[in-house]
DNA sequence: AATGAATGAGCCTTCATTCAT
DNA sequence: GATGAATGAAGGCTCATTCAT
């Protein structure tokens, strides 16, 4: 009868809003990545949290607000990691190879993020509408490629008409697909491309393909 | 009164189970593609149908059964269209170019299918487990590439170590990403790659990249 | 934790939708009359019912739908009772006296209805918008007065300019106020007008006032 | 983020408890009059205020305390205005006519107060229990009528058995009903009695009725 | 084979209020 | 005295599904 969906929880860290929010976000991220926006259950998120359902609404407004916060945080987190890569001074072909391989590994290491992006695409990117500071974060990715391309063209090893944006698009496509479509691909064509060994080869293969795709030929 | 659980519908074609099922499937496909498995509402599917909620359960068991049927039907439909392409007798580079371009266009023309596949990947391909005749359908895709590669290698224009499976993987990655990730990509980097004009260039670009990726060099 | 607000209930009369609806309506009427639209709790209504929360929504759509049904039913019920009065053949002054006294008693006997009307007025009559068959029911009330007035005028005992509608308005005002405003009037001026004895006098007083108000004077 | 529980507000007049309370009361009165006790939302009241939710509880204890304060203030405000009328020296019939017309207009001009009283009646006058100084205020209303009646009887134009209290009751009934039941009356019988023109006639009609009701006849 | 009626379980959200300084 | 942060308790509503014929 009486529906009371409160939950007992330790009051150990009360009075630290940021910690509470972070706690919620961490769990929410996992749940949204696992079940999608409509599939995730606030109750289930909260049960794995030191917080309460009420707090979710207090801090994030509603379910979509929480989802949006998760998405934003996910993007922010990803970009930070990307900046770890240092390609300065490398010859352009080498740099591109390294960038592709790094991206490939990076995507593989962050399947949860990939899932969130896939989910957000199902929602037609609707929830990214007002994530203003996203553009800045993404510009960095393009700038890296702009540098590589400029050098490559200047050195005469890249075609003069290579487009950093398209190149980024191609790298993303390959690396994203590898994680995001793994399951259906596996069901259709077997698991042979997804052993650790095979992934190394696959990575080499796509790195090579992308390099050959931009290489200037006499 | 009487909430929308029940609905009036014209009983014109009653007594034709297959037609009823097909009617349901058509609508269900759209709804699942639009909202995902958990996001789709049986109620909403049924409202756009000449059938009733009860019939959905009668014919498909439960929501997942319906989703599974939609997915299976979607895969079946897709493969039929693919067989329209005739590459026999074309030189391998030309054939590959044509195949890539065809696949690119094909994916673009079937965003609903792409969404269904993306959704199924969110669910880790869990619902394709028992789609037995899928393997056969997919084999065709690989066989086309095997022929092209075999010829290309024999003629000395493709690297001898090209893998038809990896090549298929790469083609799929590019073409799938173009449709599936369009929304987040757009939010991050603008729409410039998605005008009809730009898509033509992009298609050319990835076709070239993939060809250069397999080409044997002296 | 888990919020489950189901309730156990005897399944004795399942399969009789009208009985179930009537059961709900009866209780809902009491609860709405007691606490108003926003003050009433579906849970509390349902607890006094042989039915479940789910059934309320099934039969009435939402809380407002239930409220609307209660209101409509209340109006219908009232009008039926009113038709019990037979004034045919009575001299007009006598008829009017009887009508006023009957209405006075009738209102006193139906405080729940009066409360519902008062509540609906707080809502600015918003929920009566689509109660189409209400007009017909009300016409009867006016017709009775039209007959009385016509006779009274013809016989030269009523002023020729009496308005049946205004007369109805005046009767309603007095009889409604007696029930609806009893509480604040009592707080302000004591209970002396509300003993059974005093109510009889009051009834006589207002009947006389209304008769004198229409009487033609030489 | 941070749901709307807290609100920014200009702190211009902080440190003036009475002003803060008055500010809250003004808004609360409107909200309670509009939505009733249970229908009004503290949140919504506070949003239109220069104050905070916390202050409401600080100054008024709880929602009911605020409501009570609103009600008390409303009664106080009304009586002040009533004292504007000066009937001294007028012949009793004239005085009564004037009083009725004044009351009619006065009620029409204060629909918010009328609604508050109607609402309080829905609550069975429960919140007026401890409004001690109310009695004094109301006595004035009766006293006016006592004077009129006394004169009327003395002059032989009023029946010797007229009751000032019942007369007050009748005046209130008519004038209150006109404002409070306007909505349901309109839904049932159309708007014809509520145009400015018709209201003037109606006012004349009830004034006459009430005068005829007390007039001594040979 | 086919279907209208009914429903258990749980969802997201909101409310007035108290905690802690 | 004054207030920002936090919250217990429930509230209305919706979901896929089963009952009963």
């Amino acid at each position: 009868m009486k529906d009371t969906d409160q939950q007992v929880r330790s009051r150990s860290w009360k009075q630290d809003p940021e910690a509470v929010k972070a706690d919620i976000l961490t769990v929410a991220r996992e749940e949204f990545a696992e079940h999608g926006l409509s599939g995730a259950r606030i109750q289930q998120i909260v049960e794995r949290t030191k917080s309460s359902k009420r707090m979710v609404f207090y801090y994030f407004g509603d379910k979509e607000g929480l989802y949006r916060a998760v998405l934003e945080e996910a993007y922010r987190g990803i970009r930070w990691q990307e900046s770890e890569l240092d390609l300065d001074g490398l010859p352009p072909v080498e740099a591109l190879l390294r960038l592709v391989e790094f991206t490939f590994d990076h995507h593989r290491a962050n399947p949860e993020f990939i899932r969130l992006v896939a989910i957000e695409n199902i929602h037609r990117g609707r929830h990214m509408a007002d994530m203003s500071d996203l553009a800045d974060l993404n510009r960095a990715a393009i700038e890296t490629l702009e540098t590589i391309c400029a050098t490559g063209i200047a050195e005469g090893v890249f075609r003069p008409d290579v487009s950093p944006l398209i190149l980024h698009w191609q790298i993303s496509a390959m690396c994203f697909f590898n994680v995001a479509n793994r399951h259906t691909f596996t069901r259709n064509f077997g698991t042979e491309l997804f052993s650790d060994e095979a992934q190394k080869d696959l990575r080499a293969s796509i790195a090579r393909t992308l390099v050959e795709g931009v290489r200037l030929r006499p």
Side-chain angles (χ1 to χ4, degrees), chain A:
Chain A
M1 214 144 285
K2 294 276 164 45
D3 45 355
T4 4
D5 37 34
Q6 298 330 114
Q7 53 287 112
V8 204
R9 79 212 79 98
S10 57
R11 293 292 173 65
S12 47
W13 57 350
K14 220 174 146 174
Q15 301 299 53
D16 184 350
E18 290 313 312
V20 174
K21 284 167 75 169
D23 180 31
I24 294 172
L25 276 176
T26 304
V27 179
R29 180 187 158 123
E30 289 173 26
E31 294 288 329
F32 280 129
E34 193 56 38
H35 305 108
L37 172 49
S38 53
R41 300 286 166 244
I42 289 190
Q43 179 66 7
Q44 203 157 324
I45 291 171
V46 143
E47 267 165 22
R48 299 177 46 207
T49 280
K50 293 208 185 63
S51 187
S52 75
K53 221 184 208 178
R54 185 63 187 75
M55 284 298 95
V56 169
F57 291 93
Y58 182 58
Y59 285 125
F60 302 99
D62 60 9
K63 198 190 190 186
E64 252 185 76
L66 178 56
Y67 171 79
R68 220 154 35 220
V70 162
L71 198 61
E72 196 158 1
E73 194 66 16
Y75 265 104
R76 213 188 312 277
I78 280 296
R79 300 300 167 189
W80 281 344
Q81 287 180 256
E82 274 189 2
S83 63
E84 287 164 20
L85 182 67
D86 181 25
L87 303 171
D88 288 353
L90 254 47
V93 166
E94 185 66 15
L96 182 53
L97 279 172
R98 291 274 291 275
L99 178 61
V100 172
E101 294 186 340
F102 173 84
T103 306
F104 186 90
D105 292 342
H106 188 256
H107 278 58
R108 273 194 86 198
N110 291 282
E112 209 174 86
F113 173 71
I114 302 299
R115 293 174 64 86
L116 284 171
V117 173
I119 287 165
E120 179 57 8
N121 270 295
I122 296 297
H123 293 287
R124 300 207 143 87
R126 189 180 308 139
H127 310 90
M128 299 174 68
D130 39 339
M131 289 164 59
S132 47
D133 46 300
L134 214 64
D136 301 335
L137 294 169
N138 291 122
R139 197 136 8 232
I142 299 298
E143 274 163 14
T144 304
L145 277 167
E146 276 170 346
T147 308
I148 294 174
C149 288
T151 315
I153 293 167
E155 296 186 0
V157 290
F158 282 14
R159 280 185 292 103
D161 63 335
V162 292
S163 152
L165 182 59
I166 289 184
L167 193 47
H168 175 69
W169 184 100
Q170 292 183 347
I171 297 170
S172 294
M174 301 280 212
C175 297
F176 195 93
F177 184 88
N178 187 54
V179 179
N181 285 51
R182 173 182 177 146
H183 301 101
T184 51
F185 196 90
T186 287
R187 300 271 184 202
N188 285 329
F189 304 103
T191 57
E192 65 175 293
L193 253 37
F194 296 93
S195 70
D196 282 356
E197 196 67 17
Q199 284 276 295
K200 214 171 279 178
D201 292 348
L202 185 59
R203 188 181 69 171
S205 172
I206 68 171
R208 181 218 284 245
T209 297
L210 292 171
V211 165
E212 297 307 326
V214 297
R215 203 190 285 277
L216 179 68
R217 253 168 277 287

